Amino acid sequence: MSPSPVIEVRNVFKSFKTVQAVCGVDLTILPGQFVALLGPNGAGKTTLVEMIEGIQKPDRGEIRILGKLWKGYEKELRKIIGLSLQETRYIEKLTAWETLRLFASFFNLGPERVEEALQLVGLEEKRKAYTVNLSGGQRQRLALGIALINHPRILLLDEPTTGLDPNARREIWEILRNLRRTSDTSMILTTHYMEEAEQLCEQIVIIHEGKILKEGTMKELLNEDPSLKNLDDLFTALTGRRLHD
Amino acid sequence: MIDRIRNNQLWQLTLANILEKVREPGVLFWGIGFPILMSIGLGLAFTRKPESVRHVALISPDTGTCTIILKDDKLGNTTFRLEKMSWEEAMVQLKRGHVNVAVTAGDSGYRYHFDPMNPDAQLTYVRLSPILNRIPAADLIRDPVYEEDLSAATGSEVDALTVTGTRYIDFLIPGMIAMGVMFSCLWGLGYGIIDTRSKKLLRRMIATPMKRSNYLVAMITVRLVMNVIEAGLLMLFAWLAFGITIQGNIPALLILFLAGNIAFSGIGIFLACHTSKTEIGNAFINVISMPMMVLSGIFFSYHNFPDWAIPIIKPLPLTMLADGIRSIFIEGAGFAQTTIPSLILTATGILFFTVGLKLFKWH
Ligand SMILES: Nc1ncnc2c1ncn2[C@@H]1O[C@H](COP(=O)(O)OP(=O)(O)O)[C@@H](O)[C@H]1O
Ligand SMILES: [Mg+2]
């Protein structure tokens, strides 16, 4: 018998005025699984994860976290989810430590956990730096620290490395690889970098124009057609476009 | 126990809010420095000094200055400086406000040229002309300093009253306190919320178990505390610099002040309830605050406006707050006069707060 899923998305639709952002998505995430939502800009990744996060409401369909709907279980679910939004600017004149402290208090956690989170994302040296003075990579690591502060069972990261240089990107990947080794957290990460999906996630979901085109492991995705060298080729074969221009 | 308070989200939200504010030098300047500087500037500009100097243009082909000094124990000494200049130059100086009367000397005596609608020019004319008319132009040029003591003449009929609260600065300070509350709530609370929303920080925070009410309570509490400090410093300054004291009932003042904070906090929350664009927030604040700044009698009495406008001006929250504070400061008012405005302000705040909360967009 397979373990019961941590996230189930059933036939979910969401549109904004004239745009169909998400149309008929089904997705199942198992405990401990790391899943990448891979797709170009405007594919509907943010809309989909924000619906899973309970920040946006689907027009149609059903989303269950640990078997529970958002409606009626919000308080409970918020405690076990960690997330980072595509872009958040924190309070400028608050230090990294104080920012983590603030978010820790939302989960009733004290300074010990702030210290752990700071170490987890390698920002010990920047504890006294105002968030406005952090580099792009440091800011993303702070966001990741905030996402991890409550030992989340489910981690949802929206483009955690977009706009970062390769070094800063690798630092984030290293943190996430460690997390995968040392915890049983499940993760969904959105990205338009195929390397990121390859490096971090066993399950890759290719999404385009609000629909899932294909999903599976790297092997499953690339074995079908020997001419495909990488995920970008696969994406081009499926849509005639590249992942990013 | 201490740890439980420190880990408490309401406390941490409040602390973050305080740190954010005190670390922003601009916030301290606009909240505390600006009203004080404005009071100094306006207070000095409009407070009558015991020695006053009035500049008058004396139309003449050459240059130089003749001085007429009027000594007066009751009214204070007045010095008229008659600066010789050409007619063209006199017109320039009139436009600049350096002089407000130009005098020409002819065979039939002096002629005075000024705008009769300008009360200050009128006063110069009324006080200068009786003296000047007795001094022939030739004498004035030969002996350019003339002094006369009027103390005996005015002394017998003028009684110098020292009534507190009749100076311009007495009028101004209560208005500045009211204005401070308005701007602090609109910017600190309203704009602050919109800014947090535009940064997506509000969205990020409500994606945690944070209680939404705690966020608003922390914001409002910090505002109130800052407003008390700001008003306290302004009052301390007004007392030290201008000897302004509170004539009326202090508990009534505190309650009115609190009611003013409730009113403008409610308006601040309301204006911030939906938009995530800081430019729109900026425009909202200007649209709300600018008309009240002009109409509500902060810098000059609204009785200068036509009679039909007064019933529209009086119920404005800023008018009610400024009038109430002023009546306690200078008229010695108490609960009898301020209870109704306090209740109306509180009700206004609660109304805007309730509607704002209904429409509030958390993400
Ligand atoms: N709040 C919104 N209002 C209107 N259109 C939106 C909104 N959010 C997203 N969209 C549109 O929905 C589509 C999917 O957007 P998004 O989920 O942000 O894609 P991605 O994260 O993959 O770049 C895009 O066409 C975008 O313009
Ligand atoms: Mg996105």
Side-chain angles (χ1 to χ4, degrees), chain A residues 46 50 53-57 74-75 78-79 81-95 98 101-112 130 143 146-147, chain B residues 3-21 23-25 195-212 215 362-363:
Chain A
T46 298
E50 289 196 350
E53 286 159 355
I55 297 177
Q56 299 194 43
K57 282 200 181 61
E74 175 153 6
K75 228 177 137 186
R78 290 263 167 254
K79 289 185 190 151
I81 289 181
L83 60 93
S84 74
L85 300 175
Q86 190 166 346
E87 51 179 289
T88 305
R89 281 172 293 143
Y90 295 93
I91 299 175
E92 290 183 359
K93 294 287 174 73
L94 223 51
T95 66
E98 288 160 351
R101 183 82 168 90
L102 176 64
F103 278 87
S105 76
F106 299 157
F107 297 94
N108 254 315
L109 294 164
E112 307 78 25
Y130 289 156
I146 294 171
Chain B
D3 273 353
R4 274 189 50 193
I5 294 173
R6 284 217 197 100
N7 295 348
N8 179 279
Q9 49 170 280
L10 182 56
W11 165 242
Q12 286 294 331
L13 278 164
T14 309
L15 186 67
N17 211 312
I18 294 172
L19 291 175
E20 178 187 14
K21 296 297 174 318
R23 285 173 183 167
E24 206 59 73
D195 186 49
T196 312
R197 193 186 284 120
S198 83
K199 285 171 159 169
K200 293 202 183 168
L201 183 55
L202 198 56
R203 183 179 259 254
R204 180 65 191 87
M205 289 198 294
I206 57 117
T208 69
M210 181 191 81
K211 269 180 75 180
R212 295 170 186 199
Y215 171 74
W362 287 95
H363 39 68

Side-chain angles (χ1 to χ4, degrees), chain A residues 16-17 19-22 39-48 56 86 158-159 190:
Chain A
F16 301 99
K17 288 174 199 132
V19 191
Q20 274 281 336
V22 173
N41 259 331
K45 304 183 296 295
T46 298
T47 310
L48 180 56
Q56 299 194 43
Q86 190 166 346
D158 197 0
E159 306 208 8
T190 75

Side-chain angles (χ1 to χ4, degrees), chain A residues 166-232:
Chain A
N167 252 337
R169 182 168 302 149
R170 265 192 293 277
E171 282 169 354
I172 301 240
W173 290 356
E174 204 45 51
I175 297 164
L176 292 175
R177 276 203 210 95
N178 272 335
L179 184 77
R180 191 172 174 184
R181 255 204 326 275
T182 57
S183 75
D184 55 2
T185 301
S186 313
M187 179 183 79
I188 296 181
L189 159 152
T190 75
T191 184
H192 55 250
Y193 300 115
M194 59 174 185
E195 304 87 345
E196 187 155 288
E198 256 177 68
Q199 291 276 330
L200 295 174
C201 302
E202 63 254 47
Q203 188 78 6
I204 294 163
V205 177
I206 297 179
I207 173 168
H208 181 58
E209 292 176 343
K211 293 191 192 75
I212 293 179
L213 299 183
K214 260 207 161 42
E215 58 183 306
T217 61
M218 273 294 278
K219 268 215 186 84
E220 289 165 359
L221 291 174
L222 295 184
N223 274 2
E224 285 178 14
D225 182 344
S227 70
L228 301 174
K229 284 192 294 296
N230 58 34
L231 292 169
D232 207 5

Side-chain angles (χ1 to χ4, degrees), chain B residues 55-91:
Chain B
H55 296 268
V56 175
L58 181 60
I59 308 304
S60 155
D62 47 308
T63 57
T65 304
C66 309
T67 307
I68 294 178
I69 302 166
L70 303 185
K71 296 213 164 253
D72 195 314
D73 291 345
K74 293 269 171 63
L75 301 181
N77 300 340
T78 308
T79 303
F80 294 93
R81 291 201 184 286
L82 282 71
E83 297 171 13
K84 294 187 210 164
M85 57 181 81
S86 66
W87 179 258
E88 290 72 27
E89 178 63 13
M91 289 305 112

